[in-house]
Amino acid sequence: MLNACERAAMLYEVSARFQAPDHYRGFHESLGIIYDGDNEDSDRYQRVREYWADLAREYVRSPAALRATYREDYVLAQKWMTRLGLPPVLYTGLR
């Protein structure tokens, strides 16, 4: 478990990486989700959460491919997944 300071640091780092033009583009971006636009901060937070979910999924499913294609995203995922106690595990036929 992360303490409050670690959670804030994780959110900050994941948010900053999400804003980079070369960030990992996963399943969430292919959905074309339209946000309500009533609250820009809430919409941004939701997008960052979806980015993290996709990034963590790819880190677990295919860490070598992620490392080869999106090095900075891989490093970010490795850092926080390790701190969360969740090392990469390759799925074998589970989907």
Side-chain angles (χ1 to χ4, degrees), residues 1-76:
M1 290 294 284
L2 301 177
N3 64 37
C5 290
E6 290 170 322
R7 288 193 306 269
M10 179 183 175
L11 178 59
Y12 176 80
E13 290 179 20
V14 171
S15 218
R17 183 66 194 138
F18 174 72
Q19 292 176 24
D22 63 338
H23 75 271
Y24 172 73
R25 300 193 190 291
F27 182 70
H28 73 281
E29 294 203 10
S30 68
L31 294 176
I33 298 171
I34 298 173
Y35 296 89
D36 61 19
D38 289 345
N39 186 330
E40 186 177 328
D41 289 336
S42 178
D43 290 351
R44 184 180 312 115
Y45 177 70
Q46 184 62 32
R47 286 185 177 108
V48 169
R49 288 182 59 201
E50 290 167 1
Y51 160 72
W52 173 251
D54 279 350
L55 180 58
R57 177 179 163 262
E58 191 63 21
Y59 176 78
V60 169
R61 283 179 39 146
S62 186
L66 182 65
R67 183 177 57 239
T69 310
Y70 296 96
R71 180 77 178 162
E72 290 182 53
D73 297 275
Y74 171 82
V75 170
L76 179 67

